[in-house]
Amino acid sequence: MPSELPPRLSSSSSSSSSSSSSSSSASSSSPSLPSTSALLVQGGDHRIEIQPGSQINKYGCQPFPAADRIAFGSSTASQISPQAFDAANQLRDRIAAALINSASASAPAQSAAAIYREELGRLRAEFLHLCGFADASQPDVIFAASGTDAHFLAAHLAAALAQQARRSLRVIMVNPEESGSGVTVALNGRSLENADAPGNEVVHVSIRHPDGAPRTPEAIIADVDLLSGAALQSGLDVLLVLIDVSKTGCVAPDPKFAQQLRQRWPQRLHVLVDACQFRMEAATLRAYLQQDFMVAMTGSKFIGGPSFSSALLIPPSIAASMRAAGIPAQLKGHCAQEEWPAGWQAEKTLSSCANIGLLLRWQAALYELKALQAVPGSRIRKFLQDFSVAVQQRLQSDPHFQALALPALPERVAGLMPEWDDVASIHPFTLHRLLPQHAVLSNLEVADVYRRLQQTRHSDGFMYSVGQPVACGQRNGVELGALRVCVSAGMIVQACSVEGDEVAEALIASAMACFDAIAALIAVSS
C-alpha cells in the first residue's frame, strides 16, 4: 500500500511530514529550531504525529516524559524516558547554537546539512563502539527513519547486485503480520512514483498455523528451502529475510539454516536479518554480521528511543560489492546523502537534507543502549526470567486471557553462548469474555480494547499501553488478535539499578495492574 511506503526525507517532500520540513531542514538563513518534543515527531510519517485532541501518537506514546503512563508496549513503540529526553534536548540546544553561530557574520557558515552529517557520524561511531565492533569488522551503517525504510534500502541494494549480473531478485520472508504492515511493499522496492511498476517478487512463509499455533522450525525450513531452491535454479537471486524477533516473539527461519543457504549460494543469496525489535545482545549482532548477513534494526522498540529511528547494517565484504554497484537511482527522494557512510559516493545520487528529528530520536536511543550495556548480563537474565514467570502465571490463571503459544528461541550461531537474549521478552495473548463459554474477542474488538487502554486513566491513577494487536489466525470463525506485554531496555535498567528485588517486583506488580486494567475493559465491552 502506498501509504505504508518509507517516508521521503528530501526537502521537496510532499508527504505527511512536509509540514515539518521547513523546521527539521533548517538552514543558516533560518537558524531557529522547534522544541525538542516538536522535533521528536518530525521527519517521519503520520504514525508518529500527535493524534487530534490528545497528547499521544497512534502508538500511545508522548514526545516527552510521562510520569503517569506505564508502557509495556515496546514491541510496537517506546515512551521516551526523562533521561533520554534530556539527552535529546541537549543535542537540540547544541544544534540550535551551531545554527545561530553559523548565521553570524563572525563565524564561518555551516549549513544544517553539514551539522546533520557531522552529528550522524558521531552517532554512527558511538553505536559501533557500544556494540563492540573492532575497526576491521565494522559494518557500514546507513541511517533511516523507520524499519520499513531499512528494508526498502536493503531490497534495492540487493536488486542492484542482481541486475549487475542480469538477474532479477526474489524476496522470501515470513508472513507480514509478524513483521510490519509496510514491509512487503518496501521489499518489493516500489515507491509512490512507481507503485504500479514491476518490482521484486516477494513470497511469504507462514510461521503460524491458521489457528495461531506456531509451526515447527522444520516445517518453516522446508518451505524456505523449497522456495529458495526453485528461485535459484530458475536463475533468480534471493534475498532471504530472517526475522529476529517477530511481533509475537518468534525467530524464523532457523539462523543456522540461513547460514547454510548463504554458504551454498554466496554470490546469489543474501540474508537480511529483520532485527527491528533489536532484542539481542551485541555479541549476537556481531555474529550475524560476521556471517555476512545484513541487519535492519531500530532504536525505538526494545531499546527505548522514540519511534522512527532505524539503521541498515551491511557487513564489510558485502558493502564493498554494493558500493561498487552504486546507489540505485530509485532511492533518490527516500533518503539523504548525509545518512550514508563515506565511500558510497551518495552525493552522486541522493539529495541533501537535515532530518533533525531523526538525529534527536537516535540520540535518545543511544542513551538507552549505553545504559543497558552497563547492566551485567546475569542480572538482565534474572529479571527477564522473573518477569516471564509472573506474566505466564497470570495468563494461565486469569480466564480473561490466553497465552499465544511461542516456540523456544533457537540458537542463533553455533557455539555462541547467550547471556540473556534467549529469554522471551515479548508475551502475546488473546482476550476472552467470561460468558458465553470463554468466547475469544475478535481482532476488531481487541483493537478497541487497545485504544481504550491507552486513553483511559485507571483506578490506580495510571495510564497503560501494550503492544498493538497482531493478527494471528482464526478460531471458530473469529479473526484473532493478540496484545503483547513486553519488557523494554529501560525497564531492565530500572529493575537492576539498585541491589535487591524491590524495583523489579514493583515493575512486575505494574504489569499485573496493566492486566487488571485490560480485564476491566473486557468486562465493560461484554
Side-chain angles (χ1 to χ4, degrees):
M1 293 169 51
S3 62
E4 299 293 347
L5 285 167
R8 298 165 177 261
L9 300 180
S10 65
S11 58
S12 60
S13 171
S14 59
S15 69
S16 59
S17 61
S18 61
S19 62
S20 63
S21 62
S22 62
S23 54
S24 60
S25 301
S27 67
S28 60
S29 61
S30 178
S32 63
L33 285 177
S35 67
T36 298
S37 57
L39 285 166
L40 288 174
V41 294
Q42 292 181 6
D45 68 22
H46 68 278
R47 287 172 285 178
I48 56 171
E49 293 176 355
I50 300 303
Q51 295 179 314
S54 77
Q55 293 183 314
I56 60 174
N57 60 26
K58 67 170 291 186
Y59 302 135
C61 298
Q62 297 169 268
F64 48 83
D68 60 349
R69 185 173 294 276
I70 303 179
F72 293 101
S74 61
S75 56
T76 296
S78 289
Q79 173 66 48
I80 193 168
S81 70
Q83 297 84 358
F85 185 88
D86 185 57
N89 192 53
Q90 290 180 38
L91 176 57
R92 180 260 173 211
D93 290 349
R94 190 166 74 245
I95 294 170
L99 290 171
I100 291 171
N101 290 337
S102 68
S104 69
S106 60
Q110 187 179 24
S111 68
I115 295 170
Y116 184 49
R117 184 190 302 274
E118 181 180 320
E119 293 292 346
L120 279 180
R122 176 185 61 81
L123 293 174
R124 182 180 287 112
E126 183 176 349
F127 172 77
L128 292 170
H129 173 73
L130 286 172
C131 292
F133 286 101
D135 290 344
S137 64
Q138 284 188 356
D140 279 10
V141 180
I142 306 168
F143 288 104
S146 71
T148 308
D149 290 290
H151 284 78
F152 185 73
L153 298 177
H156 273 291
L157 292 172
L161 287 181
Q163 289 163 9
Q164 265 195 329
R166 300 179 182 274
R167 294 190 291 265
S168 297
L169 183 71
R170 178 172 293 169
V171 182
I172 301 172
M173 65 174 288
V174 301
N175 47 302
E177 295 84 0
E178 293 282 350
S179 179
S181 57
V183 168
T184 297
V185 176
L187 289 169
N188 180 275
R190 293 176 179 168
S191 67
L192 290 172
E193 289 80 9
N194 65 352
D196 297 325
N200 306 319
E201 182 186 6
V202 182
V203 294
H204 299 110
V205 174
S206 179
I207 60 178
R208 291 190 178 275
H209 290 290
D211 65 354
R215 298 181 68 206
T216 65
E218 294 75 17
I220 297 168
I221 285 173
D223 284 355
V224 173
D225 198 22
L226 181 65
L227 289 168
S228 59
L232 292 160
Q233 293 293 344
S234 65
L236 301 173
D237 282 6
V238 169
L239 176 62
L240 174 62
V241 182
L242 188 169
I243 193 161
D244 184 342
V245 297
S246 75
K247 286 184 176 183
T248 61
C250 301
V251 175
D254 183 272
K256 289 186 288 186
F257 167 72
Q259 174 62 0
Q260 292 169 7
L261 276 184
R262 171 75 181 154
Q263 290 173 341
R264 198 184 314 164
W265 301 88
Q267 303 303 318
R268 294 184 50 204
L269 185 142
H270 298 289
V271 177
L272 170 65
V273 179
D274 178 350
C276 288
Q277 290 287 334
F278 205 43
R279 296 175 186 271
M280 64 174 61
E281 302 167 33
T284 303
L285 174 64
R286 294 195 303 271
Y288 274 141
L289 288 153
Q290 287 163 5
Q291 295 177 95
D292 288 337
F293 292 0
M294 296 183 285
V295 178
M297 51 81 60
T298 75
S300 58
K301 293 183 172 64
F302 172 71
I303 294 301
S307 297
F308 277 66
S309 52
S310 180
L312 175 65
L313 280 59
I314 305 178
S317 60
I318 298 177
S321 58
M322 286 183 170
R323 284 195 298 267
I327 297 174
Q330 297 94 325
L331 297 183
K332 186 173 183 179
H334 292 274
C335 47
Q337 59 182 251
E338 289 78 11
E339 292 147 10
W340 293 64
W344 284 82
Q345 297 183 311
E347 65 278 358
K348 290 187 175 181
T349 305
L350 305 175
S351 57
S352 180
C353 176
N355 187 346
I356 305 302
L358 177 61
L359 262 185
L360 268 57
R361 293 189 289 272
W362 260 113
Q363 180 72 38
L366 289 188
Y367 174 88
E368 301 286 11
L369 179 59
K370 184 176 182 179
L372 178 68
Q373 299 286 41
V375 181
S378 59
R379 297 197 68 187
I380 297 175
R381 186 178 192 88
K382 181 180 185 304
F383 175 67
L384 289 176
Q385 289 175 330
D386 290 348
F387 189 94
S388 181
V389 168
V391 168
Q392 292 303 315
Q393 286 178 346
R394 175 64 183 262
L395 294 177
Q396 292 169 15
S397 63
D398 192 324
H400 291 99
F401 311 116
Q402 182 176 334
L404 189 66
L406 288 176
L409 292 173
E411 183 182 38
R412 268 60 166 230
V413 180
L416 183 66
M417 297 298 294
E419 290 189 304
W420 57 264
D421 64 8
D422 59 334
V423 182
S425 57
I426 297 177
H427 301 279
F429 55 97
T430 53
L431 310 186
H432 298 259
R433 294 185 177 90
L434 299 187
L435 295 172
Q437 298 179 342
H438 196 236
V440 64
L441 271 66
S442 70
N443 197 18
L444 288 176
E445 292 171 315
V446 172
D448 181 62
V449 170
Y450 167 76
R451 285 190 295 269
R452 287 188 289 139
L453 177 70
Q454 65 188 21
Q455 295 170 0
T456 304
R457 190 172 304 279
H458 298 280
S459 57
D460 58 6
F462 289 103
M463 304 175 77
Y464 293 92
S465 59
V466 294
Q468 67 185 4
V470 179
C472 54
Q474 188 178 93
R475 200 175 300 161
N476 298 324
V478 177
E479 295 290 339
L480 299 179
L483 296 180
R484 296 160 290 162
V485 163
C486 315
V487 176
S488 67
M491 291 171 60
I492 291 170
V493 172
Q494 277 186 277
C496 302
S497 60
V498 295
E499 293 297 328
D501 296 329
E502 292 83 0
V503 177
E505 290 170 356
L507 286 167
I508 292 171
S510 293
M512 298 304 107
C514 180
F515 281 119
D516 291 342
I518 296 170
L521 291 173
I522 295 172
V524 169
S525 65
S526 298

